[in-house]
Every structure is written in structure tokens, then in C-alpha cells.
Amino acid sequence: MESTFNELGDKASVLDFDPKSADVGGGVEDIYGEDTATEDQLVTPWTYSVASGYSLLRDPQYNKGLAFTEKERDTHYLRGLLPPATCSQQLQEKKLMNTIRQYQVPLQKYMALTELQERNERLFYKLLIDNVEELLPIVYTPTVGEACQKFGSIFRRPQGLYISLKEKGKVLEVLKNWPERTVQVIVVTDGERILGLGDLGCQGMGIPVGKLALYTALGGVRPSACLPITIDVGTNNKQLLEDEFYIGLRQKRTTGKEYADLLDEFMSAVKQNYGEKVLIQFEDFANHNAFQLLEKYRRTHLVFNDDIQGTAAVVLAGVVAALRLVGGSLSEHKFLFLGAGEAGTGIAELIALEISKKTKTPVEETRKKIWLVDSKGLIVSSRKDSLQQFKKPWAHEHEPIDNLLDAVKAIKPTVLIGSSGVGRTFTKEVIEAVSSFNEKPLILALSNPTSQSECTAEEAYTWSKGRAIFASGSPFDPVEYNGKVYVPGQSNNAYIFPGFGLGLVISGAIRVHDDMLLAASESLAGEVTEEYFEKGLIYPPFSNIRKISAHIAANVAAKAYELGLATRLPRPEKLVKYAESCMYSPVYRNYR
């Protein structure tokens, strides 16, 4: 303003400016010509390079809202931009939880948390960490499934990167548009198989966003080091293609060479832009692509498929822990799966590997203790020629059986695992049958969201007359049966992947090895104490998840060093303490 007054001198005042002048917009000099430009003219979106004043309040990474101190308000030009009251982060947290609890609809809670993440990052993570058992079903399954279904309608501010077929040949340029240069974890989906909901196309972005929120809250990976990505190659969901609010490409899903070329370009660009040690987590790809991508890139990139490997690790941990309730060693049990997709075959393979490791028996032999049922019935050797490649190892000698109930009666499993994505398939007859030859049947109904669970907790406890040891993929409330309260466990991938990813990051691992998954499973199983066993629980409570993740990270990192896959040298002496020291803290920082 000083230069303006000098130019005017004593002859005029600012009040003499002609409001119709082409050089004036709204009473302030229009330096960039924005106010005088027509709708068709191009203007430059100038912004501030340093967060202070008004821009600071709109920067989610640094904004503290009313928690800015008096000194900070003066130093950072915030005076007058905030109400005069100051409050602590704890009081902000209390106020927000009161607000969230007033919402009756889970999706409203989801949207409230999303808005908080967009305006105050640290407060969002503080809220999530301190109230993890209450908020986990909101930011993750089951509510995130509904959020993906309605993503186009509730979409406000973009999170992460969208790489569509339009960007083919320019993927590296798109990655460079992301503001953070030090990315350690990428979660990527193509939206073809979101939970048990099917093809949601571009709207599957809710999954990578939710997973990475848990990487930070539960595993302590810095938010700025996390990058959610959706690969949009179209969708075969007719309802979405006809939805006026759909935000993705309006075309049928691309397959074959064009799909493979885009994924190959993406994987090469990620490695070129972020280096060898960036973790790429594949999420909710359809079976045919999930197995191929994992097999194709596991030797050249640091890749992890949560649906195949993460689910397997958390289920194996639950089974190992449950042995202390049902008795016997892992090799003495017989397993029957309903569902032979990426989750079912992934779990089966990891169980076979663990038995092989413990008994020093070839994995080809240990697989014979595990049976799978798919949509056509029991997988047996006579079907081998018509089976997909990933199902063939599970085709054992047996007469054909075309339904689950008859398979249960014939195989007589001690462990029944559901990963079918089809709800209410563990019928009363099935659970009664498996309970008839097991004193304590282990029943795991893993399909998500809740509506797709093979059975409810109440059904499992009631039909087994209170003898079942039960866990599910989505949460269920405690059940009262015959005067006793049963607390169902949740076989939730969130137990494994945040700590697993942290272990890879702190060790600087360059590849994922199956032994790392076994180490993560054994670590999680070891966290279940007698106190929890007395309640029938085979998983520890989520209230301790940050400590659990630190122990898992330490075990995974130790295995990476042992296998010669770690690059962060020298190896820290106390890996648990080192893992805890590397974890992100959401507590507010004081500004100069």
C-alpha cells in the first residue's frame, strides 16, 4: 500500500479510484487480472508458498484450529482469523467425538471423519488412535464399503491419484504431480472387486484412502509418506455407467494387453519416481489379475497383496492362537474352506507353509490337510483340467461333492473357514454338522462387509450350543446365550498390514518373502494372553494395536535382516524400541 500512496501523493486519495477502471477489481488492484477476466480467458491460480495466516488455517498438515496459542496467532498472522478462545487438542477431540456419536447413520460419521482429515490431519489421527475400536468400523469395513458404493455422490475433495487410460504413456508425469517426494507406501486398486460388493470402478478409491489412514493410525507410517492410487480402466457395473454422478471413465472395463501395458507402465514409473524400497500394496483386484500381478512383480518390486497375503497372515495368527483353546498342533487339524478365490487360497497356502515349517514336511504334503469348496463344489482331482491355475494345488483325491453340507460331513473338518463373499452360507445344518464331531469347532466367517458374512456371531454360538470359537471379518456385537456372554473376535487385516508395512519401511526391505508373513502371524498370535483366552478371544483387542504393530514390525524387520533383504544398515539392536521410535505421533507441534 505504501507504493500506492507515494504514487498518488497529495493530489488524490484511494477513494478517487474509478470502480469501473479496467485495472481495479473489487476495490483492490487486480494484479493478475483475475477479476477483470471473462469466463473464457485463462488466469494463473497463484498461491502462497509459505503457510501462514489464512492459508495456514486451510493446510490440513499444519492447521490446529483453536489450539493455536496466543503467541502463534501473532507470529503467524492468525489474529482475527480465529475466535478469541483457545483450547487443547484433548478438548477438540472430546468435542468431535460428541458430535460424531450424535450421528445415527454410519455413512454420516464417515463423511464427518473425511472432512476432519481434510482440514486437520493431526486431530483426525489423534481421534482415530484414541478411539480405534469405535471408529475402525467407520473408516474401514463395513462402512467404507457403503462409502465406495456412494462415492460419486459424496465426493468433495480428491484424495490420492487417479490414473486412467487417458494417462497411458504419461503415468510418470502424473506421479510427479503428487506434491510429496518421499513416498514409502502406495496402496493401489483398480476397483474391480471391492470387498464383497463387486466392480465399483473408480469409486473404489475409498479403499486405498481408508487403508492408508490405518497405516498411519495403527502402524505409525507418516501421512505424507502414504499415497492412495486408483487405476481406472473402466467398469462393467451397468448401474454406475448410467449414474450421472459417477466420477470414473464411462466405458466397459479394459482387459488383455492394454490393461497389462498400463499396469506395467505404472509399476515401472513408481520404481523410477520413488525408488526400489517403496511398498506397493495391491488392493481389491479381481482374482484373475490379483494372482498374476503378485506373481509377475514380486521378484522385481516390493509388492504385497493384502487380500491374498494380509488376510492369510491374520487368519493364520487366529488359528495358531486358537490351538490353545481347542488343543492339538496345527498339523493335527483338518481345514475346510468355503471360497477358493484370492483370500481362500492365500490363507490355505500360508497355513500349509506354517505346517511345513513346523513339521519339516514338504508343502505338497501339508496341502492335503486343507480342502476347498468353490461354487461348483469340493475341489477334487477329477476337476483339475477345468480349474484355474491357483486352484490346482488344492485338487485332492476324493469323489465329487457339489455342496458345502455334504463336504463338511465327508471331510469332517476341525476348522471351517468362509471366504466366499456370499452371505448366510454357513447354515444351521452346516454349523450343527461341524459341531457334531468337534467339541470346540473353530468357525471363521471372513467375508466383508457384514451383510456378506457367511453367518452371524449369534448364529454360530446358538447353532453350536455355545461351543464354537468364532471370529469374523466384519465386527459383531457380543452375544448372550444360556446366560453366558460370548465376545466374537474380528479377523481383521488391520491387525497385520500396518505393522507389516512398518517393518518393511524401517528395515528398508526390497522384497517381500513368505517367511516375513509367517513371522507377522506368529507375532500376532503371541499377543493373545490368558485373559483374552478366558473370554474365548483368539485376537487381542484393538485398543493395544499400536504396540502390537510395533512388535509385528520388529519381527518382520528381523526376518528381513536374516534373509539379507534389508538395506537400512546397521541393524538396530532393539528393533521393538526402534519401531516405536519411528512411529508417527499425531500430537500437535509448537510453531516458531
Side-chain angles (χ1 to χ4, degrees):
M1 286 300 293
E2 186 180 352
S3 61
T4 304
F5 280 116
N6 286 342
E7 287 176 19
L8 292 172
D10 296 328
K11 298 179 181 178
S13 77
V14 290
L15 297 177
D16 293 327
F17 276 136
D18 181 0
K20 296 178 182 177
S21 167
D23 297 322
V24 177
V28 179
E29 188 176 358
D30 187 17
I31 298 172
Y32 303 120
E34 293 178 13
D35 293 334
T36 57
T38 66
E39 289 185 8
D40 296 329
Q41 287 175 301
L42 301 177
V43 297
T44 303
W46 294 99
T47 186
Y48 294 100
S49 58
V50 178
S52 64
Y54 194 75
S55 64
L56 178 55
L57 294 179
R58 272 141 188 83
D59 188 327
Q61 190 173 351
Y62 299 106
N63 178 33
K64 299 196 291 187
L66 290 178
F68 282 110
T69 64
E70 294 288 339
K71 183 181 178 183
E72 287 172 334
R73 294 179 188 209
D74 285 331
T75 306
H76 294 279
Y77 309 101
L78 297 171
R79 186 65 67 183
L81 299 179
L82 289 165
T86 59
C87 68
S88 65
Q89 191 176 23
Q90 288 72 25
L91 188 61
Q92 288 179 316
E93 186 180 347
K94 180 181 178 182
K95 175 189 171 185
L96 279 164
M97 283 309 298
N98 286 341
T99 302
I100 288 169
R101 285 168 182 151
Q102 287 175 19
Y103 291 121
Q104 299 300 311
V105 180
L107 189 61
Q108 291 178 321
K109 296 182 180 185
Y110 176 90
M111 292 171 67
L113 286 168
T114 299
E115 288 167 0
L116 173 61
Q117 187 180 13
E118 290 170 355
R119 73 171 184 271
N120 189 330
E121 192 173 82
R122 287 187 181 272
L123 185 55
F124 167 78
Y125 287 113
K126 186 81 165 60
L127 208 70
L128 189 49
I129 291 167
D130 292 347
N131 305 275
V132 63
E133 290 180 305
E134 184 176 349
L135 297 181
L136 189 62
I138 304 300
V139 298
Y140 194 45
T141 181
T143 308
V144 71
E146 184 184 358
C148 288
Q149 287 177 307
K150 300 175 180 175
F151 205 77
S153 299
I154 65 174
F155 180 81
R156 286 182 172 81
R157 179 178 173 182
Q159 293 173 288
L161 281 177
Y162 294 85
I163 298 174
S164 73
L165 290 167
K166 290 181 178 180
E167 282 71 58
K168 198 163 180 250
K170 299 182 285 188
V171 173
L172 182 60
E173 294 174 38
V174 175
L175 290 178
K176 290 181 182 295
N177 287 342
W178 188 249
E180 302 293 345
R181 291 289 168 258
T182 312
V183 170
Q184 295 172 320
V185 181
I186 290 171
V187 176
V188 59
T189 187
D190 71 351
E192 189 170 3
R193 192 201 59 82
I194 298 299
L195 302 175
L197 303 170
D199 188 347
L200 298 183
C202 191
Q203 297 189 169
M205 179 58 99
I207 298 294
V209 168
K211 289 276 185 178
L212 286 169
L214 298 187
Y215 257 110
T216 297
L218 312 188
V221 179
R222 288 181 298 105
S224 60
C226 297
L227 173 55
I229 294 179
T230 290
I231 307 281
D232 186 0
V233 295
T235 178
N236 293 333
N237 187 322
K238 186 180 177 185
Q239 188 177 350
L240 287 179
L241 292 173
E242 293 173 355
D243 183 356
E244 63 179 324
F245 300 126
Y246 181 55
I247 58 174
L249 288 179
R250 291 182 185 274
Q251 65 174 64
K252 287 291 181 72
R253 187 170 283 276
T254 292
T255 58
K257 187 177 185 301
E258 190 176 10
Y259 178 89
D261 288 348
L262 180 62
L263 265 293
D264 203 45
E265 183 188 351
F266 166 72
M267 295 298 289
S268 299
V270 165
K271 200 170 182 179
Q272 184 177 342
N273 203 43
Y274 299 119
E276 189 85 17
K277 293 180 286 187
V278 62
L279 171 61
I280 303 167
Q281 178 170 313
F282 295 122
E283 198 66 43
D284 287 357
F285 284 77
N287 288 340
H288 55 281
N289 287 324
F291 287 101
Q292 287 178 8
L293 291 171
L294 186 60
E295 186 59 33
K296 182 177 181 179
Y297 295 110
R298 67 189 306 172
R299 292 173 184 83
T300 57
H301 293 69
L302 183 67
V303 293
F304 171 70
N305 186 303
D306 191 40
D307 304 301
I308 298 172
Q309 297 166 297
T311 302
V314 76
V315 172
L316 174 60
V319 172
V320 169
L323 294 178
R324 289 167 65 181
L325 290 171
V326 300
S329 66
L330 197 64
S331 60
E332 293 171 333
H333 286 269
K334 197 180 286 185
F335 302 83
L336 180 63
F337 285 76
L338 176 63
E342 53 195 286
T345 54
I347 299 164
E349 184 67 14
L350 203 63
I351 291 173
L353 286 170
E354 180 73 356
I355 297 173
S356 174
K357 176 185 169 187
K358 296 293 185 186
T359 61
K360 304 290 189 277
T361 306
V363 72
E364 290 78 15
E365 285 298 310
T366 62
R367 286 183 184 134
K368 293 176 182 177
K369 294 181 176 293
I370 303 167
W371 297 80
L372 279 66
V373 173
D374 65 8
S375 60
K376 294 181 175 62
L378 191 67
I379 294 179
V380 293
S381 53
S382 61
R383 294 178 52 196
K384 210 162 189 175
D385 291 342
S386 62
L387 290 173
Q388 293 165 283
Q389 193 64 37
F390 60 87
K391 293 182 183 182
K392 289 184 178 181
W394 311 103
H396 308 319
E397 284 295 332
H398 200 285
E399 68 270 12
I401 298 175
D402 63 4
N403 66 83
L404 177 63
L405 179 59
D406 289 344
V408 167
K409 290 176 179 177
I411 303 299
K412 291 184 168 53
T414 54
V415 182
L416 182 63
I417 299 175
S419 59
S420 61
V422 183
R424 303 299 181 267
T425 40
F426 287 176
T427 62
K428 184 180 181 183
E429 292 76 20
V430 166
I431 290 176
E432 284 178 344
V434 80
S435 302
S436 68
F437 39 77
N438 287 295
E439 185 184 345
K440 290 184 176 179
L442 178 55
I443 298 172
L444 305 177
L446 304 177
S447 294
N448 291 316
T450 311
S451 60
Q452 305 304 110
S453 184
E454 284 77 10
C455 69
T456 66
E458 185 176 8
E459 289 167 347
Y461 292 125
T462 303
W463 294 337
S464 68
K465 295 183 167 56
R467 290 189 286 119
I469 297 164
F470 176 80
S472 57
S474 290
F476 283 102
D477 292 329
V479 175
E480 187 176 343
Y481 176 77
N482 275 357
K484 183 179 177 182
V485 175
Y486 296 84
V487 182
Q490 189 185 356
S491 182
N492 194 320
N493 290 24
Y495 277 116
I496 289 286
F497 72 79
F500 188 81
L502 179 64
L504 297 175
V505 168
I506 65 174
S507 63
I510 55 170
R511 298 291 179 270
V512 170
H513 192 281
D514 286 338
D515 284 355
M516 296 177 183
L517 294 166
L518 296 178
S521 289
E522 290 164 6
S523 177
L524 177 57
E527 295 291 324
V528 188
T529 64
E530 284 299 327
E531 176 192 351
Y532 305 134
F533 283 126
E534 287 172 8
K535 297 177 182 176
L537 290 171
I538 56 174
Y539 293 102
F542 266 105
S543 54
N544 298 330
I545 189 62
R546 297 264 288 192
K547 287 185 178 178
I548 293 167
S549 291
H551 280 89
I552 291 172
N555 280 279
V556 170
K559 188 57 70 173
Y561 283 107
E562 183 185 319
L563 294 168
L565 295 172
T567 62
R568 206 173 293 280
L569 302 170
R571 179 188 188 276
E573 285 185 25
K574 298 179 180 178
L575 279 170
V576 175
K577 283 193 173 181
Y578 179 65
E580 289 176 339
S581 71
C582 292
M583 294 174 90
Y584 166 84
S585 168
V587 176
Y588 285 150
R589 301 295 189 264
N590 294 319
Y591 301 145
R592 293 188 187 90

